[in-house]
Amino acid sequence: MLSTVNTRAPLRWLGKQLFNRDDPGAFFDPLLAALNPMWVRGFVPARLVEVTDEARDTRSFHLRPSPRWRGFNAGQHINVIVEADGVRHHRTFTIASTPRQWASDGTVTLTIKRLAGGRITNWMHDNLCGGEVMGVSQAFGDFNLPETDRPLLYIAGGSGITPVLSHLATLADRDVRAPVTLLYYVRSQADIIGAGVLYALAARWPALTLKIFKTEEEGEPALMNEAHLDSVTGLDARQIYLCGPKGLMTLAADVLNRAGVAESQIQTTFFSAPFAVAADTPLGGAVTFGKTDKTVESEGDAPLLEIAEAAELKPAYGCRMGICHQCSCRKNSGTVVNRLTGKASGPGEETIQLCISVPQGPVTVDL
Amino acid sequence: MKQLNEQQLNELAEDLDAIHDEVMADVGERDAKYIRRMIRLHRTLEVGGRAMMPFGFIPPVFAAAVGSLSIAKIIENMEIGHNVMHGQYDWMNDPSLHSQTYEWDTVCTGDSWRRTHNYEHHTFTNVIGKDRDYGYALLRLSDDNKWNPLHLFQFANYALLSVFFQWGVGLHELEFERVRRREIKLSEKAGLLKDFFRKGGRQAFKDYLFFPLLTFPVFPIVLAGNVSANLIRNLWSSSVIFCGHFTEDAETFTEASIENETRGHWYLRQLTGSSNFTGSKWVHILSGHLSHQIEHHVFPDIPAHRYREIAPRVEAICHKYGIKYNTGSFGRQYWTVLKRIGQFSLPDRVRTRLSAPAAA
Ligand code: FES
């Protein structure tokens, strides 16, 4: 019954009158959560059914979202909402499993690697073992499979493999005949994510050519180079997907360019899971105002409130000294340093006070 | 006001900042659990109160229903709403506890409150002419305001304000006294009035129309119960708030005194302009910890249930600098508020003559 509260206009209106909020369904969440956390209305809950080891520092988290979740296409991401030490964190992860798996048993798999210095990936590895309930957003992202079958080339690095796993398994299920090649770059054997899935796919699906390069093992060719493309037949006709850390993406784009591949053939997903900036990153950075789609550069310890005003925006403010919270606003991504405490924030979406928050690296705020 | 030199003020700021940083570094799970528990309690009491109300024709049930609903409203306004809107729980990153979007169960809109209370009152605390919370522009509470004969009736004003407190707070930003003096035009306040009618209408609709009509045959009982719950909440919250700044020794300041104010001076003003009252754990919770008005004013964004823990340290700092730490039982503090309202209703000549022997 509660699900209709948010969708039917008259009920919604009534809910607003009675509970003073735009999402009246969530008014009872504190009670519902105590009875069964899968009943909450404030976000789409998902139960963590199992956690499995995948590779060095990498685990798969198998989630079963509530029926309100609308599904996804291979290659899409979701935001996961977890609560660590009383604080709600949002992090974006790519779904590594297939839409077919979700259709058959209602689960999706997130394959997550510990990030050095990453508060939430490490927290998830250390604290979640199955049975917990977290929140998920609807799926988003446009790293989509081609509409029609055609030869494909994937170049993936490290944990950038996750959307590729979902793509490949989906293509294999459809028994696509056009050739598909994956060039996968990892540090060493122990770092191969989804090894089981990949080898099984290669064994049962003749269209797939699988090449794994270990960049830090002896006797192996090092970084990506032209020679790696030699085995890829009909390069010109292939649609190419790049997914991995920034270094590899730039390098691959370069190599492809020299091999005469047209820009339009390439699709990239910036797999840069947000990670905390290093403590010695200088203050200042590019500030993007999400609502107005403006970006300005800032330097030194100018707080976001002043940066926004200099960009001719008019955010609400009061005391301008960190007391009144009038200037509180959503930060979508990036790290800010609190001027009063000197503490750096996390990289994800959260509420900050504009008047005492100084960007440290690129930041996006909801203004 | 207690005078401190530049260096003492800086040290005072350092001492207080140290407490603030230490507590904020420790804020986490425990505080999240605390506020969630309060919210659960509020939901339970509200649901329970509303469910019992139609059976209020049985007198003990009526008492239980009114008690339950009024405590629900008090907890929501004082311990949840007021504190959430101060940003005490912004760090939790929970959109339903976000200071800038929270909307509470009272007539005053969250937006209006954030402007008049969080900003004006907390920044310009007890500065006559700038802090309109000081006497709510209705009462004369210091000789900074000139006496006029109307002030003789301010006790009646005070009683009315307490009874209709949520409506008074809702209209606070209208600055009616300035409109009357023609300093501002009513048309400037059109937006505010619109919001006031929308939110006030919503509150009245809920308590005085929807729930009574829903239980039609017994609607007089439900209506009476809801009116009582709102009244109890009004009386309690106005009394708590009056004890925060209008007690006997709470000081007032002039606009000139806050020009180029330093952080240390701001702290000093908060310490001397506020007053606490003592009581059991539940007295603190039901007052939204405004029983620790002093701690609240120096650290408005520390989760309020922590005030109880840091109070001894704040008091020690006050002693160190010879600042009076104004506290006493609720009864005693409230008595001094009433005395103050009474005294300042009289012309200054009469007032000083009356209070002279007491001071001697
Ligand atoms: S303007 Fe008051 S806290 Fe930022």
Side-chain angles (χ1 to χ4, degrees):
Chain A
M1 187 215 90
L2 274 172
S3 57
T4 52
V5 171
N6 283 335
T7 45
R8 298 233 183 100
L11 267 183
R12 211 189 142 92
W13 175 86
L14 181 63
K16 185 154 182 160
Q17 310 311 306
L18 300 184
F19 304 124
N20 282 309
R21 53 195 291 162
D22 291 322
D23 55 345
F27 178 82
F28 296 102
D29 274 0
L31 294 181
L32 295 178
L35 297 171
N36 179 349
M38 288 297 286
W39 290 346
V40 301
R41 309 300 311 174
F43 49 74
V44 179
R47 183 165 313 265
L48 179 62
V49 281
E50 203 191 357
V51 181
T52 51
D53 278 320
E54 200 63 52
R56 174 159 56 200
D57 287 342
T58 309
R59 280 186 183 161
S60 280
F61 297 80
H62 307 276
L63 294 171
R64 181 174 290 125
S66 89
R68 265 181 295 148
W69 196 64
R70 293 196 290 267
F72 71 108
N73 298 325
Q76 285 195 305
H77 329 283
I78 51 173
N79 285 330
V80 168
I81 306 168
V82 293
E83 199 177 303
D85 199 17
V87 183
R88 221 182 246 201
H89 297 271
H90 299 238
R91 290 292 185 276
T92 306
F93 297 108
T94 308
I95 301 174
S97 56
T98 60
R100 188 160 130 160
Q101 177 191 321
W102 177 67
S104 75
D105 70 359
T107 65
V108 297
T109 304
L110 303 178
T111 299
I112 299 171
K113 187 176 169 147
R114 282 179 190 269
L115 287 168
R119 204 176 333 169
I120 295 314
T121 56
N122 282 300
W123 181 87
M124 290 175 77
H125 275 250
D126 295 337
N127 291 280
L128 299 178
C129 50
E132 297 87 353
V133 171
M134 53 184 83
V136 291
S137 69
Q138 299 297 342
F140 61 93
D142 48 12
F143 196 69
N144 289 326
L145 284 168
E147 311 243 305
T148 54
D149 293 348
R150 50 182 294 192
L152 303 173
L153 167 63
Y154 288 94
I155 301 175
S159 51
I161 192 73
T162 45
V164 181
L165 288 174
S166 179
H167 272 200
L168 293 180
T170 305
L171 292 168
D173 286 342
R174 278 204 239 140
D175 199 16
V176 167
R177 296 295 161 88
V180 177
T181 304
L182 165 62
L183 308 182
Y184 181 22
Y185 295 84
V186 289
R187 288 220 180 100
S188 69
Q189 185 71 26
D191 294 302
I192 303 177
I193 295 173
V197 177
L198 287 173
Y199 292 132
L201 280 176
R204 80 173 154 100
W205 180 34
L208 176 65
T209 312
L210 174 63
K211 298 240 156 148
I212 299 180
F213 300 95
K214 294 150 207 156
T215 55
E216 284 177 10
E217 257 170 37
E218 279 171 48
E220 291 279 341
L223 299 172
M224 169 166 198
N225 59 57
E226 267 94 348
H228 294 177
L229 292 178
D230 289 349
S231 61
V232 184
T233 51
L235 188 61
D236 292 345
R238 301 231 183 188
Q239 175 158 345
I240 301 168
Y241 290 96
L242 296 187
C243 188
K246 209 161 173 206
L248 174 73
M249 308 256 276
T250 337
L251 184 63
D254 219 44
V255 172
L256 288 168
N257 187 13
R258 267 181 278 136
V261 171
E263 194 93 9
S264 60
Q265 273 173 266
I266 306 177
Q267 209 187 331
T268 335
T269 186
F270 281 100
F271 186 82
S272 47
F275 56 94
V277 297
D280 55 358
T281 307
L283 294 180
V287 179
T288 306
F289 300 105
K291 274 193 197 139
T292 41
D293 218 6
K294 253 191 204 176
T295 302
V296 294
E297 283 293 331
S298 80
E299 258 174 37
D301 67 346
L304 282 167
L305 182 60
E306 283 168 24
I307 298 169
E309 285 170 343
E312 277 159 21
L313 297 175
K314 296 205 164 38
Y317 68 86
C319 65
R320 305 186 76 104
M321 52 200 248
I323 301 162
C324 72
H325 284 252
Q326 288 289 91
C327 62
S328 284
C329 155
R330 288 303 269 182
K331 166 185 69 101
N332 304 108
S333 66
T335 300
V336 295
V337 171
N338 181 318
R339 243 191 182 179
L340 299 181
T341 61
K343 267 207 342 213
S345 74
E349 187 175 321
E350 60 191 328
T351 302
I352 53 166
Q353 287 162 275
L354 294 175
C355 68
I356 51 167
S357 295
V358 179
Q360 189 175 26
V363 169
T364 305
V365 286
D366 197 25
L367 271 182
Chain B
M1 176 165 74
K2 168 86 193 169
Q3 294 298 331
L4 297 179
N5 64 34
E6 193 90 350
Q7 191 197 340
Q8 285 172 313
L9 284 173
N10 286 341
E11 281 170 18
L12 173 68
E14 268 168 37
D15 288 349
L16 289 169
D17 282 343
I19 297 182
H20 182 262
D21 293 350
E22 189 184 311
V23 176
M24 288 315 273
D26 183 53
V27 152
E29 189 85 46
R30 177 157 75 95
D31 308 82
K33 278 222 177 88
Y34 174 81
I35 194 68
R36 295 242 162 88
R37 208 165 56 231
M38 282 299 139
I39 294 171
R40 259 199 318 276
L41 177 63
H42 161 250
R43 301 294 194 268
T44 312
L45 288 170
E46 165 136 22
V47 171
R50 301 234 185 247
M52 283 188 286
M53 205 66 89
F55 305 97
F57 47 81
I58 311 163
V61 177
F62 185 76
V66 170
S68 182
L69 190 57
S70 49
I71 294 176
K73 281 176 180 279
I74 285 172
I75 290 179
E76 197 279 340
N77 289 179
M78 309 295 279
E79 184 67 347
I80 304 171
H82 168 257
N83 291 331
V84 164
M85 286 196 281
H86 264 297
Q88 291 177 2
Y89 299 96
D90 274 0
W91 55 269
M92 283 173 66
N93 204 18
D94 178 340
S96 56
L97 297 179
H98 180 26
S99 61
Q100 297 309 297
T101 52
Y102 191 88
E103 192 58 69
W104 54 350
D105 182 13
T106 183
V107 167
C108 179
T109 65
D111 283 332
S112 174
W113 177 263
R114 281 183 276 269
R115 289 187 295 261
T116 58
H117 177 87
N118 290 12
Y119 171 54
E120 282 179 27
H121 168 61
H122 272 269
T123 312
F124 303 113
T125 311
N126 290 18
V127 174
I128 304 298
K130 283 217 130 187
D131 177 10
R132 296 185 55 261
D133 275 24
Y134 204 82
Y136 292 94
L138 259 180
L139 307 178
R140 175 177 185 262
L141 296 170
S142 80
D143 45 20
D144 302 293
N145 285 349
K146 252 186 69 148
W147 182 86
N148 72 47
L150 278 179
H151 286 134
L152 281 172
F153 304 103
Q154 73 172 356
F155 228 99
N157 272 347
Y158 165 69
L160 277 175
L161 177 63
S162 294
V163 169
F164 296 101
F165 195 58
Q166 66 165 342
W167 299 92
V169 174
L171 278 176
H172 185 43
E173 204 184 3
L174 185 62
E175 304 185 81
F176 189 68
E177 75 288 356
R178 292 182 59 202
V179 176
R180 202 182 47 209
R181 292 199 300 265
R182 294 179 202 276
E183 288 168 19
I184 44 177
K185 284 211 226 64
L186 200 55
S187 56
E188 287 169 36
K189 298 284 180 181
L192 175 82
L193 278 171
K194 202 169 128 213
D195 289 348
F196 167 78
F197 285 118
R198 182 178 305 133
K199 179 81 191 286
R202 187 188 291 169
Q203 292 298 107
F205 166 80
K206 167 171 80 176
D207 282 337
Y208 306 144
L209 209 65
F210 179 80
F211 282 113
L213 288 184
L214 195 64
T215 50
F216 179 69
V218 287
F219 83 89
I221 292 173
V222 173
L223 182 63
N226 291 355
V227 169
S228 315
N230 278 316
L231 176 66
I232 293 172
R233 184 270 320 269
N234 285 352
L235 293 177
W236 170 247
S237 47
S238 60
S239 310
V240 166
I241 290 171
F242 274 62
C243 283
H245 297 290
F246 311 152
T247 53
E248 205 162 28
D249 301 316
E251 297 193 29
T252 59
F253 314 97
T254 61
E255 280 187 52
S257 74
I258 62 159
E259 261 177 56
N260 301 321
E261 191 175 48
T262 60
R263 194 164 173 84
H265 192 263
W266 181 82
Y267 271 135
L268 178 60
R269 185 154 55 80
Q270 303 303 330
L271 289 170
T272 50
S274 312
S275 48
N276 286 3
F277 55 80
T278 54
S280 70
K281 178 175 152 206
W282 279 99
V283 170
H284 292 304
I285 291 175
L286 292 176
S287 74
H289 289 88
L290 289 184
S291 47
H292 283 290
Q293 190 77 239
I294 300 177
E295 286 74 18
H296 175 56
H297 262 266
V298 280
F299 307 128
D301 64 355
I302 284 183
H305 71 117
R306 298 257 186 169
Y307 296 155
R308 252 182 287 157
E309 299 162 20
I310 56 177
R313 296 170 65 186
V314 174
E315 186 168 1
I317 289 179
C318 284
H319 286 314
K320 176 173 163 194
Y321 295 96
I323 301 164
K324 182 180 161 76
Y325 185 82
N326 187 344
T327 187
S329 69
F330 178 74
R332 196 200 82 94
Q333 295 290 61
Y334 191 57
W335 170 242
T336 69
V337 171
L338 296 179
K339 231 168 51 185
R340 188 161 184 163
I341 296 171
Q343 282 171 347
F344 284 99
S345 67
L346 304 172
D348 289 338
R349 252 179 324 125
V350 185
R351 178 174 57 87
T352 39
R353 202 171 323 141
L354 278 179
S355 56

Short mmCIF file of all heavy atoms in Angstrom, two decimals, chain A residues 36-40 43-49 61-69 78-82 102 106-108 110 128 130-137:
data_model
loop_
_atom_site.label_atom_id
_atom_site.label_comp_id
_atom_site.label_asym_id
_atom_site.label_seq_id
_atom_site.Cartn_x
_atom_site.Cartn_y
_atom_site.Cartn_z
N ASN A 36 11.52 -4.79 9.26
CA ASN A 36 12.20 -5.49 8.18
C ASN A 36 12.84 -4.44 7.26
O ASN A 36 12.14 -3.70 6.59
CB ASN A 36 11.19 -6.33 7.39
CG ASN A 36 11.86 -7.07 6.23
OD1 ASN A 36 13.01 -6.81 5.89
ND2 ASN A 36 11.13 -7.98 5.63
N PRO A 37 14.16 -4.40 7.25
CA PRO A 37 14.83 -3.33 6.49
C PRO A 37 14.52 -3.36 4.99
O PRO A 37 14.74 -2.37 4.30
CB PRO A 37 16.32 -3.57 6.74
CG PRO A 37 16.43 -4.89 7.41
CD PRO A 37 15.10 -5.24 7.98
N MET A 38 13.99 -4.49 4.50
CA MET A 38 13.65 -4.53 3.08
C MET A 38 12.34 -3.78 2.79
O MET A 38 11.93 -3.67 1.64
CB MET A 38 13.52 -5.99 2.59
CG MET A 38 14.84 -6.73 2.48
SD MET A 38 15.99 -6.00 1.27
CE MET A 38 15.24 -6.49 -0.28
N TRP A 39 11.67 -3.28 3.82
CA TRP A 39 10.41 -2.56 3.60
C TRP A 39 10.57 -1.06 3.46
O TRP A 39 9.60 -0.36 3.26
CB TRP A 39 9.45 -2.85 4.78
CG TRP A 39 8.92 -4.25 4.81
CD1 TRP A 39 8.99 -5.17 3.80
CD2 TRP A 39 8.24 -4.90 5.89
NE1 TRP A 39 8.41 -6.34 4.19
CE2 TRP A 39 7.94 -6.21 5.46
CE3 TRP A 39 7.86 -4.50 7.16
CZ2 TRP A 39 7.27 -7.13 6.28
CZ3 TRP A 39 7.20 -5.42 7.97
CH2 TRP A 39 6.90 -6.72 7.52
N VAL A 40 11.75 -0.53 3.63
CA VAL A 40 11.87 0.93 3.64
C VAL A 40 11.53 1.54 2.28
O VAL A 40 11.65 0.89 1.24
CB VAL A 40 13.28 1.42 4.08
CG1 VAL A 40 13.62 0.92 5.45
CG2 VAL A 40 14.32 1.01 3.06
N PHE A 43 14.75 4.58 -0.03
CA PHE A 43 15.60 4.20 -1.16
C PHE A 43 15.22 2.76 -1.52
O PHE A 43 14.42 2.14 -0.83
CB PHE A 43 17.09 4.30 -0.82
CG PHE A 43 17.49 3.64 0.46
CD1 PHE A 43 17.56 2.25 0.56
CD2 PHE A 43 17.80 4.41 1.59
CE1 PHE A 43 17.93 1.64 1.74
CE2 PHE A 43 18.17 3.79 2.78
CZ PHE A 43 18.24 2.41 2.85
N VAL A 44 15.77 2.27 -2.62
CA VAL A 44 15.48 0.89 -2.99
C VAL A 44 16.41 -0.02 -2.19
O VAL A 44 17.63 0.04 -2.35
CB VAL A 44 15.72 0.67 -4.50
CG1 VAL A 44 15.44 -0.80 -4.86
CG2 VAL A 44 14.86 1.59 -5.33
N PRO A 45 15.86 -0.82 -1.29
CA PRO A 45 16.74 -1.67 -0.51
C PRO A 45 17.17 -2.90 -1.31
O PRO A 45 16.47 -3.33 -2.23
CB PRO A 45 15.86 -2.08 0.68
CG PRO A 45 14.46 -1.92 0.22
CD PRO A 45 14.45 -0.93 -0.91
N ALA A 46 18.31 -3.42 -0.96
CA ALA A 46 18.81 -4.64 -1.60
C ALA A 46 19.49 -5.47 -0.53
O ALA A 46 20.25 -4.94 0.29
CB ALA A 46 19.80 -4.29 -2.71
N ARG A 47 19.18 -6.77 -0.53
CA ARG A 47 19.83 -7.62 0.47
C ARG A 47 21.08 -8.24 -0.12
O ARG A 47 21.08 -8.69 -1.26
CB ARG A 47 18.87 -8.71 0.97
CG ARG A 47 19.54 -9.52 2.05
CD ARG A 47 18.65 -10.39 2.89
NE ARG A 47 17.43 -9.85 3.42
CZ ARG A 47 17.30 -9.32 4.66
NH1 ARG A 47 18.35 -9.21 5.45
NH2 ARG A 47 16.14 -8.91 5.07
N LEU A 48 22.13 -8.20 0.67
CA LEU A 48 23.38 -8.82 0.24
C LEU A 48 23.26 -10.31 0.53
O LEU A 48 23.23 -10.72 1.69
CB LEU A 48 24.53 -8.20 1.04
CG LEU A 48 25.92 -8.72 0.75
CD1 LEU A 48 26.30 -8.43 -0.69
CD2 LEU A 48 26.92 -8.05 1.69
N VAL A 49 23.14 -11.14 -0.52
CA VAL A 49 22.91 -12.56 -0.25
C VAL A 49 24.21 -13.30 0.01
O VAL A 49 24.25 -14.23 0.79
CB VAL A 49 22.10 -13.26 -1.37
CG1 VAL A 49 20.64 -12.94 -1.22
CG2 VAL A 49 22.59 -12.87 -2.75
N PHE A 61 30.09 -9.08 -4.57
CA PHE A 61 28.98 -8.88 -3.65
C PHE A 61 27.70 -9.17 -4.43
O PHE A 61 27.39 -8.47 -5.39
CB PHE A 61 28.98 -7.45 -3.10
CG PHE A 61 30.20 -7.14 -2.28
CD1 PHE A 61 31.40 -6.82 -2.90
CD2 PHE A 61 30.15 -7.18 -0.89
CE1 PHE A 61 32.54 -6.54 -2.14
CE2 PHE A 61 31.28 -6.92 -0.13
CZ PHE A 61 32.48 -6.60 -0.75
N HIS A 62 26.99 -10.20 -4.02
CA HIS A 62 25.78 -10.60 -4.74
C HIS A 62 24.58 -10.02 -4.02
O HIS A 62 24.31 -10.33 -2.87
CB HIS A 62 25.68 -12.12 -4.81
CG HIS A 62 26.92 -12.75 -5.37
ND1 HIS A 62 27.14 -12.87 -6.72
CD2 HIS A 62 28.03 -13.25 -4.77
CE1 HIS A 62 28.33 -13.43 -6.92
NE2 HIS A 62 28.89 -13.67 -5.76
N LEU A 63 23.86 -9.15 -4.73
CA LEU A 63 22.76 -8.41 -4.12
C LEU A 63 21.43 -8.82 -4.72
O LEU A 63 21.34 -9.09 -5.92
CB LEU A 63 22.92 -6.91 -4.40
CG LEU A 63 24.10 -6.18 -3.79
CD1 LEU A 63 24.16 -4.78 -4.39
CD2 LEU A 63 23.90 -6.10 -2.29
N ARG A 64 20.40 -8.83 -3.87
CA ARG A 64 19.06 -9.03 -4.40
C ARG A 64 18.23 -7.78 -4.10
O ARG A 64 17.76 -7.60 -2.97
CB ARG A 64 18.40 -10.27 -3.80
CG ARG A 64 17.00 -10.51 -4.38
CD ARG A 64 16.36 -11.81 -3.92
NE ARG A 64 17.03 -12.96 -4.51
CZ ARG A 64 17.54 -13.97 -3.79
NH1 ARG A 64 17.46 -13.95 -2.49
NH2 ARG A 64 18.13 -14.97 -4.39
N PRO A 65 18.06 -6.91 -5.10
CA PRO A 65 17.29 -5.67 -4.87
C PRO A 65 15.81 -5.98 -4.69
O PRO A 65 15.35 -7.02 -5.18
CB PRO A 65 17.50 -4.87 -6.15
CG PRO A 65 18.59 -5.56 -6.90
CD PRO A 65 18.60 -6.99 -6.46
N SER A 66 15.12 -5.07 -4.01
CA SER A 66 13.68 -5.28 -3.81
C SER A 66 12.99 -5.19 -5.17
O SER A 66 13.54 -4.65 -6.13
CB SER A 66 13.13 -4.22 -2.86
OG SER A 66 12.72 -3.09 -3.59
N PRO A 67 11.74 -5.68 -5.27
CA PRO A 67 11.04 -5.69 -6.56
C PRO A 67 10.86 -4.31 -7.19
O PRO A 67 10.57 -4.20 -8.36
CB PRO A 67 9.67 -6.31 -6.21
CG PRO A 67 9.89 -7.05 -4.95
CD PRO A 67 10.97 -6.34 -4.21
N ARG A 68 11.08 -3.26 -6.39
CA ARG A 68 10.94 -1.91 -6.97
C ARG A 68 12.07 -1.57 -7.93
O ARG A 68 11.99 -0.60 -8.68
CB ARG A 68 10.92 -0.87 -5.86
CG ARG A 68 9.54 -0.49 -5.42
CD ARG A 68 9.61 0.56 -4.34
NE ARG A 68 10.23 0.03 -3.15
CZ ARG A 68 10.97 0.76 -2.31
NH1 ARG A 68 11.19 2.02 -2.54
NH2 ARG A 68 11.48 0.21 -1.23
N TRP A 69 13.13 -2.32 -7.87
CA TRP A 69 14.27 -2.02 -8.74
C TRP A 69 13.92 -2.38 -10.17
O TRP A 69 13.29 -3.42 -10.41
CB TRP A 69 15.49 -2.81 -8.26
CG TRP A 69 16.77 -2.31 -8.82
CD1 TRP A 69 17.33 -1.10 -8.61
CD2 TRP A 69 17.67 -3.02 -9.68
NE1 TRP A 69 18.53 -0.99 -9.27
CE2 TRP A 69 18.75 -2.16 -9.95
CE3 TRP A 69 17.66 -4.29 -10.26
CZ2 TRP A 69 19.83 -2.53 -10.76
CZ3 TRP A 69 18.73 -4.66 -11.07
CH2 TRP A 69 19.79 -3.79 -11.32
N ILE A 78 25.44 1.16 -10.88
CA ILE A 78 24.47 1.61 -9.89
C ILE A 78 25.21 2.33 -8.75
O ILE A 78 26.41 2.09 -8.55
CB ILE A 78 23.64 0.46 -9.26
CG1 ILE A 78 24.55 -0.64 -8.75
CG2 ILE A 78 22.61 -0.06 -10.21
CD1 ILE A 78 23.81 -1.71 -7.96
N ASN A 79 24.49 3.18 -8.06
CA ASN A 79 25.04 3.74 -6.82
C ASN A 79 24.62 2.84 -5.68
O ASN A 79 23.46 2.44 -5.60
CB ASN A 79 24.50 5.14 -6.56
CG ASN A 79 25.13 6.15 -7.46
OD1 ASN A 79 26.28 5.98 -7.87
ND2 ASN A 79 24.40 7.20 -7.79
N VAL A 80 25.56 2.56 -4.83
CA VAL A 80 25.26 1.75 -3.67
C VAL A 80 25.27 2.68 -2.46
O VAL A 80 26.12 3.57 -2.37
CB VAL A 80 26.32 0.64 -3.52
CG1 VAL A 80 26.21 -0.02 -2.17
CG2 VAL A 80 26.14 -0.38 -4.63
N ILE A 81 24.29 2.54 -1.58
CA ILE A 81 24.23 3.36 -0.37
C ILE A 81 24.54 2.46 0.82
O ILE A 81 23.78 1.54 1.10
CB ILE A 81 22.84 3.98 -0.20
CG1 ILE A 81 22.45 4.75 -1.47
CG2 ILE A 81 22.79 4.89 1.03
CD1 ILE A 81 20.99 5.14 -1.50
N VAL A 82 25.64 2.71 1.47
CA VAL A 82 25.95 1.93 2.67
C VAL A 82 26.14 2.89 3.84
O VAL A 82 26.48 4.06 3.65
CB VAL A 82 27.23 1.08 2.52
CG1 VAL A 82 27.04 -0.02 1.51
CG2 VAL A 82 28.43 1.94 2.18
N TRP A 102 19.83 -11.67 -13.44
CA TRP A 102 18.84 -10.94 -12.63
C TRP A 102 17.44 -11.46 -12.91
O TRP A 102 16.62 -11.65 -12.01
CB TRP A 102 18.94 -9.44 -12.91
CG TRP A 102 17.91 -8.65 -12.16
CD1 TRP A 102 17.85 -8.48 -10.82
CD2 TRP A 102 16.79 -7.97 -12.70
NE1 TRP A 102 16.77 -7.72 -10.49
CE2 TRP A 102 16.10 -7.39 -11.63
CE3 TRP A 102 16.32 -7.77 -14.01
CZ2 TRP A 102 14.94 -6.64 -11.81
CZ3 TRP A 102 15.17 -7.02 -14.19
CH2 TRP A 102 14.48 -6.47 -13.10
N GLY A 106 16.99 -12.98 -9.67
CA GLY A 106 16.78 -11.71 -8.99
C GLY A 106 18.04 -11.10 -8.38
O GLY A 106 17.96 -10.14 -7.62
N THR A 107 19.22 -11.63 -8.72
CA THR A 107 20.43 -11.06 -8.12
C THR A 107 21.28 -10.33 -9.15
O THR A 107 21.22 -10.61 -10.34
CB THR A 107 21.31 -12.15 -7.47
OG1 THR A 107 21.78 -13.03 -8.48
CG2 THR A 107 20.55 -12.92 -6.41
N VAL A 108 22.06 -9.39 -8.64
CA VAL A 108 23.09 -8.73 -9.45
C VAL A 108 24.40 -8.84 -8.68
O VAL A 108 24.40 -8.93 -7.46
CB VAL A 108 22.77 -7.24 -9.71
CG1 VAL A 108 21.51 -7.10 -10.52
CG2 VAL A 108 22.68 -6.47 -8.41
N LEU A 110 28.19 -7.28 -7.89
CA LEU A 110 29.14 -6.17 -7.97
C LEU A 110 30.50 -6.73 -7.61
O LEU A 110 30.65 -7.34 -6.55
CB LEU A 110 28.77 -5.06 -6.98
CG LEU A 110 27.38 -4.49 -7.11
CD1 LEU A 110 27.14 -3.44 -6.02
CD2 LEU A 110 27.18 -3.86 -8.48
N LEU A 128 31.27 -6.50 5.49
CA LEU A 128 30.08 -7.15 4.94
C LEU A 128 30.37 -8.62 4.68
O LEU A 128 31.40 -8.97 4.11
CB LEU A 128 29.67 -6.46 3.63
CG LEU A 128 29.29 -4.99 3.75
CD1 LEU A 128 28.96 -4.42 2.38
CD2 LEU A 128 28.12 -4.80 4.70
N GLY A 130 27.38 -10.85 4.15
CA GLY A 130 26.16 -11.46 3.65
C GLY A 130 25.05 -11.29 4.67
O GLY A 130 25.30 -11.35 5.88
N GLY A 131 23.83 -11.05 4.19
CA GLY A 131 22.69 -10.87 5.08
C GLY A 131 22.35 -9.41 5.31
O GLY A 131 21.22 -9.09 5.64
N GLU A 132 23.30 -8.50 5.11
CA GLU A 132 23.03 -7.08 5.36
C GLU A 132 22.10 -6.51 4.29
O GLU A 132 21.99 -7.04 3.19
CB GLU A 132 24.34 -6.27 5.34
CG GLU A 132 25.33 -6.64 6.42
CD GLU A 132 26.25 -7.78 6.03
OE1 GLU A 132 26.02 -8.39 4.96
OE2 GLU A 132 27.18 -8.07 6.80
N VAL A 133 21.46 -5.37 4.64
CA VAL A 133 20.64 -4.67 3.65
C VAL A 133 21.28 -3.32 3.36
O VAL A 133 21.70 -2.61 4.28
CB VAL A 133 19.20 -4.49 4.16
CG1 VAL A 133 18.41 -3.56 3.24
CG2 VAL A 133 18.51 -5.83 4.27
N MET A 134 21.41 -3.00 2.09
CA MET A 134 21.92 -1.68 1.73
C MET A 134 20.97 -1.07 0.72
O MET A 134 19.95 -1.68 0.38
CB MET A 134 23.32 -1.82 1.16
CG MET A 134 23.46 -2.80 0.04
SD MET A 134 25.18 -2.95 -0.47
CE MET A 134 25.79 -4.10 0.69
N GLY A 135 21.28 0.14 0.25
CA GLY A 135 20.42 0.78 -0.73
C GLY A 135 21.07 0.75 -2.10
O GLY A 135 22.30 0.73 -2.21
N VAL A 136 20.26 0.72 -3.15
CA VAL A 136 20.81 0.84 -4.50
C VAL A 136 19.99 1.85 -5.28
O VAL A 136 18.82 2.07 -5.00
CB VAL A 136 20.78 -0.51 -5.25
CG1 VAL A 136 21.76 -1.48 -4.66
CG2 VAL A 136 19.39 -1.11 -5.29
N SER A 137 20.65 2.50 -6.23
CA SER A 137 19.91 3.41 -7.11
C SER A 137 19.45 2.61 -8.33
O SER A 137 19.86 1.47 -8.51
CB SER A 137 20.84 4.53 -7.58
OG SER A 137 21.81 4.00 -8.47
#
